[in-house]
Amino acid sequence: MPDDKRKPPSAKKPKPAPGRKPRPATDKQAGPATGPKPVPPGGAPAGVPGGDLPETVRKELAALDEQKRDGKLTAFEHAAKRKALLQGIEGQGKPKFGASPAAPAKPTGEPGAGAKETAPAAAGKKPEEADEKKPDVKLPGAWAAKEKERRAGPKTWTEGARTDDPTKRVVHPPTADGIGSGRSFLFLFGFRIHSPRDQEFLEKELKEIDDDVAVLRGAGYTVVVDPQATRKDLLEAVTGRGEGVEKLAPAGVYWSAHGSEDGSVQTCDGGFVVPDDLESDKIDPGLRLMVFASCYVGSRSRTWRKALGGRPMVVGWGRPVTIDRAVEFLQSRADTETDLDDLIRRYLLTDAPIPGEGGLAYAPVDDAASRGRLGDVPERLRTVVEMLGAKWKTEPNWVEVDVPLEDKRWEKAKVFVVESAEPYCEGEPMLAVESDVGELTAVVDPPMLLSGFGGPGYARVSLVKSGTDMPRIVVQGFLPIARARDQDLAALVYQVAQVSDRLEQRIFGGDMR
């Protein structure tokens, strides 16, 4: 057998094709370098010249290296912070680290022909644009007016034409005299007319309000039910100019429609209403109760209350809810004190004072995750996620774990390290787990929030700051990371996720985010 067949494949050299000269060896083909590659100043990644990094970044990288040497950062923390720092400056017009440098520009003239040197243009920009400052863009006032006009819904070709069917609106007179004499209550539904799914929601809710209508009429109230409510209907309702009840004080309004995170609510013709659309000085002083059966709007209840003149109680959902939970809100139940029948009984069948704004007696604290760090959580969780059958991904300051629960549901939780400040364990690193539930609103009463979670375990319910008007409900748990076994950590992660999932089911009907 010839010798060349006994050689490994890497030792064989292909023969050049006839008529072609063999390609000269490149640096990579010439073999390994004779010495180690120099490390750029500031710990720049391999293949990137130190001058390619901004001075501030080099200093921050050097500070991270020093903290690691001093034992202030673990290897996992150092790697995560370094990665986040370098990723933060990619995509700013420079090539990604490790990429081949761009080829030099061709000269514009012959050497010595008087060609002038020009400063290199910023990456991704033309030379004349390199140092240009982007002008401040101010939107014309007419654009803002157009946005406000768009909120009103679709335009009509005929002056005075309507986008709803006025014959759908029903005004029910009172069946007896009582506390509601001279007052009105309006059930307004802003579900989109041409959406079959929205109309299904509407039908389910309409079936549940007959008992509320009867109770209000028996107390002297004139009750309006409008399944096709527009922006105009809402604005007129809160100012005491509602169609059919113009001379009556609006004691309460129930508005059911889709809501958005900014606090806006949709109307039946595709328009929407935001708190800024209201003129607070024109709100009827007799308005006592404003119920928004809309997702998210409860988290902006203080903004809506201010827009409504600061007097009425504003109730709504802090997060998205299922239609089943929305229907339950309209049903009379003995296990809660915050459904619609409870609100009507408490604030419309008596002259009980409306709770003031006041605020919380104790201000919520920052959530633990905002003070957390990654530490060696990824290493500690490797066995735990296998025990739970969970999914996970590493973020700069925590690990997000998606935990499988009963009934094929999943719940996300953040896992991180935080130092304790409590007595007898001050400064001790704790493994923390935190899962988000949603904003606290008037729909959530203490039994709903706390009952059923008093058994021995690792999870607890807390209120923390949020980016909305209302504090946020979270479920937390903490264990000393140095003394906790894998089984303890698995129990902590699972119990926090389980309690969070149960609260979401109880308050919002499920995790609708």
Side-chain angles (χ1 to χ4, degrees), residues 4 16 31 93 156 174 184 227 240 360 382 409 415 489:
D4 61 338
T156 56
S184 65
L360 295 175
R382 292 187 188 280
R409 294 200 301 274
V415 186
L489 301 184

Side-chain angles (χ1 to χ4, degrees), residues 176-346:
D177 293 331
I179 193 171
S181 298
R183 300 178 180 180
S184 65
F185 189 97
L186 298 93
F187 287 94
L188 306 178
F189 297 87
F191 290 111
R192 292 167 296 181
I193 298 172
H194 301 295
S195 168
R197 187 164 178 263
D198 280 15
Q199 291 304 300
E200 289 180 13
F201 293 167
L202 171 64
E203 291 301 321
K204 289 183 177 181
E205 291 199 16
L206 287 174
K207 292 177 181 178
E208 300 295 338
I209 65 172
D210 289 343
D211 58 332
D212 299 306
V213 172
V215 167
L216 289 166
R217 295 177 67 191
Y221 286 94
T222 300
V223 181
V224 173
V225 178
D226 191 344
Q228 295 186 7
T230 63
R231 180 173 180 270
K232 179 173 176 285
D233 291 324
L234 178 55
L235 299 181
E236 289 181 348
V238 297
T239 54
R241 298 179 292 112
E243 187 176 348
V245 287
E246 293 88 348
K247 297 180 180 180
L248 303 177
V253 177
Y254 173 88
W255 180 275
S256 184
H258 294 294
S260 302
E261 291 184 75
D262 62 357
S264 61
V265 290
Q266 202 170 61
T267 61
C268 76
D269 53 7
F272 56 95
V273 187
V274 297
D276 288 343
D277 291 338
L278 278 63
E279 298 180 54
S280 57
D281 57 336
K282 294 184 178 180
I283 304 300
D284 193 291
L287 184 62
R288 291 171 58 82
L289 181 63
M290 183 74 215
V291 179
F292 286 107
S294 306
C295 299
Y296 293 113
V297 181
S299 66
R300 305 290 180 180
S301 58
R302 292 180 181 175
T303 302
W304 272 104
R305 184 169 190 169
K306 183 178 179 181
L308 289 165
R311 292 178 294 270
M313 182 175 185
V314 177
V315 178
W317 302 106
R319 290 285 174 94
V321 295
T322 62
I323 183 59
D324 292 336
R325 181 66 187 97
V327 169
E328 285 180 5
F329 177 73
L330 298 173
Q331 296 171 344
S332 180
R333 299 189 304 157
D335 60 342
T336 179
E337 289 291 317
T338 56
D339 286 337
L340 182 61
D341 61 303
D342 300 310
L343 298 174
I344 290 175
R345 172 175 47 81
R346 191 177 303 132

Side-chain angles (χ1 to χ4, degrees), residues 28-108:
K28 291 183 179 179
Q29 296 169 339
T34 56
K37 293 182 180 180
V39 178
V48 181
D52 193 43
L53 291 174
E55 181 66 24
T56 55
V57 175
R58 289 205 300 272
K59 289 181 179 179
E60 291 185 43
L61 288 171
L64 288 177
D65 294 340
E66 184 177 352
Q67 290 177 13
K68 180 184 176 184
R69 287 194 298 271
D70 294 343
K72 296 180 180 179
L73 288 177
T74 65
F76 288 104
E77 290 177 305
H78 176 268
K81 290 180 180 290
R82 176 185 172 89
K83 180 180 178 182
L85 185 61
L86 294 176
Q87 285 180 341
I89 62 173
E90 287 183 4
Q92 298 179 4
K94 296 184 178 181
K96 289 189 175 183
F97 296 120
S100 300
K106 294 182 179 180
T108 56

Side-chain angles (χ1 to χ4, degrees), residues 4 7-14:
D4 61 338
K7 294 179 182 179
S10 59
K12 298 180 182 180
K13 295 181 180 180

